């Protein structure tokens, strides 16, 4: 895509700090890192998000994910790591070329905060079954 910043990074039009590259994927340092080692893994094929990702692109991308995660882990020995992908503006996606964040975690002050407010009371086993049925209906459609 002509105006896609990640396509331009992949083709070298825009410089990046490369971590890894093969015929299908490209991994590079996030220019606005949250922590030391914050890396992005992208498919070379322009794919907007997970919803539009062909199975073959997913296979090639996720096949490399453990290698990237382990390389960051070996380099910096973080306390943990979040791998995050945002799909859609509402979910925080700002570049509309699929990318998987690898964010090594070091301590509580590293800038990434999750606050999960679960709704177990609302989602009874019966409700969960209804929700699951709607999803499986879509899977089988
Ligand atoms: Zn792109």
């Amino acid at each position: 895509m002509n105006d896609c910043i990640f396509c331009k990074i992949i083709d070298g039009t825009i410089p990046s700090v490369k971590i890894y590259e093969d015929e299908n994927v490209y991994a590079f340092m996030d220019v606005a890192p949250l922590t030391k080692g914050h890396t992005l893994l992208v498919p070379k094929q322009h794919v907007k998000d997970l919803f539009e990702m062909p199975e073959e692109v997913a296979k090639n991308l996720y096949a490399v994910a453990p290698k990237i995660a382990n390389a960051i882990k070996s380099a910096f020995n973080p306390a943990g790591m979040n791998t995050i992908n945002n799909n859609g503006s509402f979910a925080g996606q700002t570049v509309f070329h699929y990318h998987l964040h690898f964010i090594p975690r070091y301590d509580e002050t590293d800038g990434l905060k999750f606050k999960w407010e679960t709704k177990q009371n609302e989602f009874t086993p019966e409700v969960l079954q209804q929700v699951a049925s709607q999803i499986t209906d879509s899977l089988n459609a």
Side-chain angles (χ1 to χ4, degrees):
M1 265 205 156
N2 289 339
D3 58 349
C4 173
I5 188 171
F6 286 172
C7 284
K8 287 178 180 172
I9 283 174
I10 292 161
D11 74 17
T13 311
I14 294 175
S16 66
V17 181
K18 182 167 80 173
I19 299 287
Y20 175 85
E21 180 177 16
D22 65 26
E23 61 179 334
N24 302 303
V25 302
Y26 191 88
F28 58 103
M29 304 305 301
D30 193 312
V31 291
L34 209 53
T35 63
K36 183 175 65 179
H38 183 170
T39 298
L40 301 178
L41 175 64
V42 302
K44 285 189 170 176
Q45 179 179 327
H46 181 86
V47 173
K48 183 174 132 203
D49 55 28
L50 191 59
F51 302 118
E52 296 186 0
M53 184 178 286
E55 189 174 323
E56 196 63 27
V57 173
K59 279 183 189 169
N60 291 329
L61 187 116
Y62 282 95
V64 172
K67 185 193 307 236
I68 302 296
N70 279 305
I72 297 166
K73 184 179 175 197
S74 294
F76 303 122
N77 192 30
M81 184 179 299
N82 290 99
T83 53
I84 302 173
N85 153 242
N86 304 323
N87 298 285
S89 300
F90 190 80
Q93 186 174 14
T94 55
V95 176
F96 295 91
H97 180 133
Y98 176 94
H99 50 289
L100 183 61
H101 292 265
F102 294 76
I103 306 172
R105 305 299 306 278
Y106 299 100
D107 58 47
E108 308 77 31
T109 65
D110 63 14
L112 183 60
K113 295 191 181 357
F114 284 114
K115 187 166 190 232
W116 292 34
E117 297 175 354
T118 60
K119 299 171 182 69
Q120 272 175 292
N121 294 338
E122 187 179 325
F123 291 95
T124 62
E126 294 76 23
V127 173
L128 284 181
Q129 187 56 58
Q130 286 174 352
V131 171
S133 295
Q134 286 180 275
I135 297 170
T136 54
D137 287 350
S138 294
L139 275 174
N140 299 326

